[in-house]
Amino acid sequence: MEGATLSDANLTNSYFSSSFIGVNGFGSPAESKYSMMQVQESSCSSQHSCTEYCPSPYTLWPSTDPVNSPTSSLFSDFGALSISQRRKVSTQALGAFKVLSDRFYVILVCFFLCHQTPNPAASEFIPKGAPRMATMAQSTVQAFPSPLFPHPGLSTSTAAALAPGMSLSAGSSPLHSPKITPHTSPAPRRRSHTPNPANYMVPTTASDQGTHIIQKETVGGTTYFYTDNTPAPMAGMVFPTYHIYPPTAPHVAYMQPKANAPSFFMADELRQELINRHLITMAQIDHSENPDVPSEVDSYHSLFPLEPLPPPNRMQKTSNFSYITSCYKAVNSKDDLPYCLRRIHGFRLVNTKCMMLVDMWKKIQHSNSVTLREVFTTKAFGDHSLVFSYDFHAGAETMFSRHFNDPAADSYFTKRKWGQHEPPPPRQHAGLLPESLIWAYIVQLSSALRTIHTAGLACRVMDPSKILITGKTRLRVNCVGVFDVLTFDNSQTNHLALMPQYQQADLVSLGKVVLALACNSLAGIQRENLQKAMELVSINYSSDLKNLILYLLTEQSRLRSVNDIMPMIGARFYTQLDASQMRNDVIEEDLAKEVQNGRLFRLLAKLGTINERPEFQKDPTWSETGDRYLLKLFRDHLFHQVTEAGTPWIDLSHIVSCLNKLDAGVPEKISLVSRDEKSVLVVTYSDLKRCFDSTFQELQAAASGSL
């Protein structure tokens, strides 16, 4: 039965990964492209390797599209054949070689280049991607090797031809020959991975794609030929000469009502959330008022309790782990990163064999699970304690504290006194959670369980008090691996034998969590209230949610898998994916507002070090003369303007626009008026930028002692 579970998981993994074939260069598309490159290289190989003199396979026939050429169609015809039919293609092969003979001049040109007398003093040039291409060119290649067949079932031969550590997506594509030009090339734009904005505005047609210019470079006495396919800028295209703030993207602007926050900065809600996370991350404890908290525990310091500390004489134990626990934020001295320490009071670890399970938990990285980093024992708290170190997520709260902390929510399931009427059942948006939120939680929790179960482990902590919520709807399963260590049995030989049973218990616990969310009460999952809770679900929610809860809570004759509930979730996966991507769009738009703020801050910082400096190089009037006087007047132009009535004129857009023009040094003229209004200086922003740069360089030279 365990093997059947694994096969189902593997089948599901292959189903979900099949849609991604070819995205990153793997699969059939990459194999066909790689096959063409191999044949072109083999046709150019002789006693002397042509790769050294021909960095690009298509440099010698730039006007021909290699994809649409008769040669490539010939290769595709051969690729459609099976291995058993290779003996029947002699007639077709003769016709194909007749087509190849039309391009015999190509081989002559390659032969001429390969037999040039190289400069013995020049260093050998090995282009990018040469370990893969040179190996094929120098080896004995058949006329039509096995990698020519692009069928997925024959892809093993293609992988075998690759060098160790190389993949089909590695190296340069043969359609982009400038990427394998010499490293000393005077045109670095051809090797840059940064896209040119002009490339996206040039209209490309079928005739334009085949027109390339052959460039020639001589480096170290060796001549290289390559095709320069960099598109020329469109005529009449003008970019702004200074940094600008574009308006909000329309797909974000129409997504929600516009906030009242300034458009130059991120939303107040997101800013406040980030500030709260930073405050919690940097919070420290006063050791004079909390002497029981040690200053250091193993390699961790600056402990800060995240939960109320239990009293020293507390005897009751937690309902989850049957041990007294406490939670701290601490900083690891090895990497200076914050972590969450979960302490198990009074637990002595007898055998270290359980670390095998801990190592398995360390390998699990999932967006809906808190990663376990290490487990260690300590006596720093005055007893034998076991400490679990997890990733710290600032500002997180438990599902219990957010959704189940209202005692009035259980009133529908509490027993009535004799003669007391039963209140009406709660409804959605009036005491119950919206169904879309519950499905969002189901998708995230099932995703975490799927990853954990696929790794051969069980969660065992699917409880509202151990599920963290960050932001609005982001879930993370916390305290994973604790039960595996606390309940470790040294007498068992196979410590993973009980994992299938624990995985079934995870599904039951997931059903209880979903039912509690649907009832908005933990009392609904009690045995005596199950029928009443299911009636409440039937009245307020869809049949899919009801069937999912029944499937998870009902005992089955076979081992269930978390993959079984995916058809019940159905298209709601797309809803959650769309919601997460829209959230990313909003955050990226807020991030775009802050892109230029760091640069403007550096400008203001430099300007502040120049203006009103009391004395420099024993000259009290240094900041009031020469170039510094222009910068002083520019500072007044930025911040000290007044209206006709004499009131301060404050305009943030004016400040941002002037600073951007100063940073770019635009030729626009500006009028600077002295404070006594007796002098008016007309200068350009380029003049101000020259004064600004030279003055700050003078300050830097004096600070470094070079003056």
Side-chain angles (χ1 to χ4, degrees), residues 227-272:
T227 56
D228 191 0
N229 55 359
T230 303
M234 182 187 298
M237 182 173 56
V238 178
F239 289 106
T241 55
Y242 55 90
H243 302 281
I244 59 175
Y245 284 84
T248 304
H251 69 279
V252 178
Y254 292 99
M255 189 180 300
Q256 56 187 0
K258 295 183 179 180
N260 296 325
S263 59
F264 292 116
F265 307 105
M266 68 174 61
D268 290 340
E269 181 183 2
L270 179 59
R271 180 183 299 275
Q272 189 63 37

Side-chain angles (χ1 to χ4, degrees), residues 513-527:
V513 171
V514 176
L515 180 59
L517 290 171
C519 300
N520 199 21
S521 171
L522 291 177
I525 63 176
Q526 298 177 3
R527 184 177 297 273

Side-chain angles (χ1 to χ4, degrees), residues 1-29:
M1 298 177 70
E2 182 178 1
T5 306
L6 293 176
S7 62
D8 293 340
N10 295 334
L11 179 61
T12 308
N13 292 336
S14 63
Y15 171 76
F16 277 95
S17 61
S18 61
S19 59
F20 296 94
I21 294 177
V23 173
N24 295 324
F26 295 91
S28 299

Side-chain angles (χ1 to χ4, degrees), residues 63-384:
S63 61
T64 303
D65 188 1
V67 178
N68 300 323
S69 63
T71 314
S72 64
S73 62
L74 171 66
F75 294 156
S76 61
D77 294 337
F78 273 88
L81 298 176
S82 61
I83 298 179
S84 60
Q85 295 173 333
R86 296 174 67 180
R87 298 180 180 178
K88 303 178 182 180
V89 298
S90 58
T91 305
Q92 292 86 344
L94 292 176
F97 288 130
K98 185 177 183 304
V99 176
L100 286 177
S101 63
D102 295 337
R103 303 187 181 274
F104 182 71
Y105 71 96
V106 174
I107 303 178
L108 291 179
V109 175
C110 289
F111 183 82
F112 172 74
L113 291 177
C114 293
H115 285 75
Q116 286 183 345
T117 304
N119 187 3
S123 58
E124 182 182 2
F125 164 63
I126 302 177
K128 295 181 180 179
R132 179 180 61 182
M133 300 172 65
T135 303
M136 294 181 294
Q138 294 175 3
S139 60
T140 303
V141 184
Q142 299 176 1
F144 296 98
S146 56
L148 282 175
F149 295 89
H151 194 276
L154 303 177
S155 59
T156 55
S157 58
T158 305
L162 296 175
M166 301 292 290
S167 64
L168 287 176
S169 60
S172 304
S173 170
L175 298 181
H176 300 280
S177 57
K179 281 201 170 185
I180 53 176
T181 50
H183 294 283
T184 56
S185 171
R189 70 182 184 277
R190 291 182 284 104
R191 299 192 309 269
S192 175
H193 296 279
T194 304
N196 185 3
N199 297 350
Y200 301 101
M201 302 182 183
V202 178
T204 57
T205 60
S207 60
D208 295 338
Q209 293 177 358
T211 303
H212 301 286
I213 301 175
I214 299 180
Q215 300 287 348
K216 181 176 69 172
E217 291 182 11
T218 302
V219 179
T222 305
T223 301
Y224 303 94
F225 296 89
Y226 62 91
T227 56
D228 191 0
N229 55 359
T230 303
M234 182 187 298
M237 182 173 56
V238 178
F239 289 106
T241 55
Y242 55 90
H243 302 281
I244 59 175
Y245 284 84
T248 304
H251 69 279
V252 178
Y254 292 99
M255 189 180 300
Q256 56 187 0
K258 295 183 179 180
N260 296 325
S263 59
F264 292 116
F265 307 105
M266 68 174 61
D268 290 340
E269 181 183 2
L270 179 59
R271 180 183 299 275
Q272 189 63 37
E273 181 181 352
L274 295 177
I275 290 176
N276 291 336
R277 292 182 184 180
H278 295 167
L279 290 176
I280 296 174
T281 304
M282 302 302 295
Q284 296 184 359
I285 194 175
D286 188 358
H287 287 280
S288 60
E289 298 181 1
N290 299 273
D292 296 335
V293 179
S295 58
E296 292 185 3
V297 176
D298 198 67
S299 60
Y300 297 87
H301 62 88
S302 302
L303 272 70
F304 182 83
L306 299 176
E307 298 175 351
L309 295 177
N313 55 354
R314 179 180 176 181
M315 298 302 295
Q316 64 269 22
K317 300 177 182 180
T318 59
S319 58
N320 296 96
F321 301 124
S322 300
Y323 285 92
I324 301 175
T325 64
S326 56
C327 189
Y328 303 88
K329 173 190 72 71
V331 179
N332 193 340
S333 58
K334 297 179 181 178
D335 54 11
D336 292 332
L337 298 178
Y339 293 92
C340 177
L341 303 182
R342 173 69 63 175
R343 173 196 172 196
I344 311 297
H345 295 231
F347 183 85
R348 178 176 295 182
L349 189 63
V350 180
N351 199 323
T352 59
K353 291 183 179 180
C354 61
M355 292 302 166
M356 174 194 66
L357 298 176
V358 174
D359 293 336
M360 296 176 64
W361 277 110
K362 290 180 182 179
K363 299 177 181 178
I364 295 181
Q365 301 282 341
H366 194 267
S367 58
N368 299 117
S369 176
V370 183
T371 306
L372 176 63
R373 296 301 177 183
E374 64 174 331
V375 179
F376 60 92
T377 58
T378 181
K379 296 182 180 179
F381 295 95
D383 63 349
H384 292 275

